[in-house]
């Protein structure tokens, strides 16, 4: 009976933590919506993608968070909603892969910059009727600050043994 309680407890904690991260993502997007949507984007919330380095179970919830933010706060239609979901999962998955492959953790900034910065313009340039490369450059620059912030999140959380232990 104890093992069942323990497994349930772990699953419950993961579900609650995932829900909190989704809520944090949506809250950050709501607060920063004025500069988080459109052809010029600085999405502070995408710093949370870095958490999948420490907590791989967040890969799907982070994709879901991006999808929900696009749906509820600034959607340009279903293509944007689905695109955000795919970009969120792919970014988070690549962040986790850096840990899994035992690569230097500073590299987590790359998927947080490159996946949204190069992926989102593949459909957003058609929706907004702007050229791909100027949009991509704008998004790449806009993702730089959240990527660096995400890296520092990971560094800080790794020091907190009550939150994270390898």
């Amino acid at each position: 009976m104890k093992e069942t309680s323990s497994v349930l407890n772990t699953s419950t904690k993961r579900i609650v933590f995932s829900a909190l991260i989704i809520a944090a993502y949506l809250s950050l997007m709501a607060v920063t919506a004025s500069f988080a949507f459109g052809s010029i984007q600085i999405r502070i919330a995408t710093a949370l993608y870095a958490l999948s380095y420490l907590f791989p179970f967040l890969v799907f919830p982070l994709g879901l968070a991006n999808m929900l933010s696009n749906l509820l706060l600034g959607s340009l239609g279903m293509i944007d909603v689905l695109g955000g979901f795919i970009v969120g999962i792919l970014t988070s998955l690549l962040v986790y892969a850096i840990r899994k492959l035992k690569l230097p953790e500073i590299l987590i900034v790359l998927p947080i910059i490159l996946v949204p910065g190069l992926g989102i313009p593949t459909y957003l340039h058609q929706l907004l009727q702007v050229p791909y490369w100027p949009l991509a450059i704008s998004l790449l620059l806009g993702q730089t600050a959240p990527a660096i912030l995400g890296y520092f999140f990971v560094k800080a959380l790794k020091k907190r043994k009550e939150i994270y232990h390898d």
Side-chain angles (χ1 to χ4, degrees):
M1 186 77 160
K2 269 194 171 204
E3 284 184 7
T4 306
S5 296
S6 175
V7 171
L8 179 63
N9 191 25
T10 300
S11 296
T12 302
K13 284 181 181 179
R14 287 180 177 189
I15 290 168
V16 170
F17 188 66
S18 296
L20 289 171
I21 295 302
I22 291 170
Y25 190 102
L26 290 172
S27 297
L28 282 168
M29 288 299 292
V31 169
T32 63
S34 65
F35 55 88
F37 294 100
S39 60
I40 298 175
Q41 297 183 6
I42 301 173
R43 286 193 167 199
I44 303 301
T46 60
L48 297 176
Y49 289 148
L51 295 176
S52 62
Y53 181 87
L54 302 174
F55 309 105
F57 63 88
L58 288 177
V59 169
F60 181 80
L62 286 164
L64 187 61
N66 193 328
M67 181 182 84
L68 289 171
S69 74
N70 285 351
L71 181 65
L72 300 172
L73 300 170
S75 177
L76 294 172
M78 285 310 291
I79 292 173
D80 190 30
V81 171
L82 293 174
F85 179 66
I86 292 166
V87 164
I89 287 177
L90 184 57
T91 304
S92 300
L93 193 58
L94 290 172
V95 167
Y96 171 64
I98 289 167
R99 174 179 165 203
K100 186 78 173 163
L101 297 170
K102 297 180 177 14
L103 298 171
E105 67 188 30
I106 186 67
L107 293 178
I108 66 175
V109 301
L110 293 178
I112 297 172
I113 294 170
L114 296 176
V115 175
L118 297 174
I120 291 172
T122 59
Y123 62 86
L124 200 59
H125 85 279
Q126 293 174 343
L127 293 173
L128 296 175
Q129 297 297 305
V130 295
Y132 175 84
W133 281 110
L135 181 58
I137 290 168
S138 171
L139 293 178
L140 289 166
L141 291 173
Q143 283 299 116
T144 302
I148 293 167
L149 182 61
Y151 168 72
F152 285 112
F153 280 166
V154 168
K155 294 293 282 183
L157 286 173
K158 281 182 78 176
K159 293 179 183 177
R160 305 283 308 263
K161 296 301 180 193
E162 68 274 12
I163 297 173
Y164 172 77
H165 51 82
D166 214 357

